[in-house]
Amino acid sequence: MTIYLRMAQWLARTWLSATVSMILLFVGFSASASSYWQSWQTVGRAELSWGFWDIYDSELRTPDGTYSFDQQELALVIRYRRDIDEEDLLEATDKQWIHLGIPQLMRKQWLRELSIIWPDVKKGDRLIFVLNAQGAAFYQGNRLLGKVESEEMAKAFLGIWLSPQTAYPEMRRRLIG
C-alpha cells in the first residue's frame, strides 16, 4: 500500500512542477510578446496639436524601419501630452472613421469593442497598437489592454493615421517617412 502512496505523491509533485513551469513560461511569453516591437526601427514620427494644445506624439515602427501599404508587422506608438478620458478618445476615433467613410454599423460595433479595451489616458501615458501575423492588440506601456479580432477593424484604426484619405495628411507623410 505504501508504494501506491509514494507513487501518488510523486505524480502530484510532477504535475505541480509541470503546471508551475507552464504558468511561468506563459507569463514570460506574454511579457516578451508585448514588448518585442520595442526593438523595431522607427519609420517616422509626428505630433498632433490643436490650436495651442499639444495632444500627442506618435511614432510608427516596423521590423526594418520601412513602411509599405500592405505592411504585416508594425507598431503605432502614441504618447499623450495631456489627460484624455476614454469617451473623448472614442468620439475622436468615430469622427476619423466617419471622415474615412466607415459605415455606421461597423463604427458602432468597433467603438463598443474599444470602449471595453481603452482606458482614460493621463499625460505621459503610451497607448501602442501592434499588428503582426498573429493579429492586432492594444497595449498601455507593456500591459496588454485587449486584442482586436477583426482584421478590417485593425486596418480601419491604422487608417486614421496611414490612409491616403486621412484627415491629417502631413502627419501621415511624417509617419511613413
Side-chain angles (χ1 to χ4, degrees):
M1 189 82 156
T2 59
I3 193 160
Y4 293 115
L5 181 58
R6 286 184 186 160
M7 192 176 197
Q9 289 172 336
W10 177 82
L11 283 172
R13 281 193 308 270
T14 303
W15 179 84
L16 180 61
S17 176
T19 301
V20 168
S21 295
M22 290 298 288
I23 290 170
L24 290 174
L25 179 64
F26 176 74
V27 168
F29 174 76
S30 295
S32 65
S34 68
S35 60
Y36 66 93
W37 60 269
Q38 291 180 13
S39 65
W40 291 353
Q41 297 176 28
T42 299
V43 177
R45 292 185 172 96
E47 306 79 33
L48 178 66
S49 297
W50 192 264
F52 296 104
W53 296 286
D54 294 326
I55 310 298
Y56 61 75
D57 299 319
S58 55
E59 179 181 7
L60 183 64
R61 293 183 181 192
T62 64
D64 65 359
T66 62
Y67 171 77
S68 65
F69 177 74
D70 59 348
Q71 192 79 34
Q72 296 298 309
E73 291 187 307
L74 59 81
L76 179 67
V77 182
I78 301 173
R79 187 180 62 81
Y80 289 88
R81 297 176 75 180
R82 59 185 306 109
D83 296 354
I84 304 175
D85 65 39
E86 172 210 357
E87 282 185 34
D88 288 339
L89 290 174
L90 292 168
E91 182 180 323
T93 300
D94 191 35
K95 285 180 181 178
Q96 294 306 310
W97 280 343
I98 290 169
H99 175 83
L100 292 172
I102 306 294
Q104 182 179 16
L105 187 61
M106 295 174 91
R107 290 192 336 264
K108 284 186 174 192
Q109 176 187 338
W110 295 343
L111 290 167
R112 272 193 304 274
E113 292 176 35
L114 291 176
S115 72
I116 296 167
I117 295 173
W118 283 352
D120 294 339
V121 293
K122 302 290 182 207
K123 182 178 180 178
D125 282 353
R126 288 185 323 156
L127 289 185
I128 302 103
F129 184 71
V130 178
L131 175 69
N132 61 32
Q134 290 74 43
F138 285 99
Y139 296 88
Q140 185 174 29
N142 286 329
R143 184 174 61 92
L144 175 66
L145 295 175
K147 295 184 179 186
V148 174
E149 302 299 330
S150 165
E151 182 180 341
E152 198 170 5
M153 179 181 168
K155 288 180 179 183
F157 181 75
L158 288 170
I160 293 170
W161 293 269
L162 304 179
S163 168
Q165 289 76 37
T166 181
Y168 302 105
E170 179 60 24
M171 180 180 285
R172 175 184 186 268
R173 188 189 65 71
R174 293 180 68 197
L175 283 172
I176 66 174

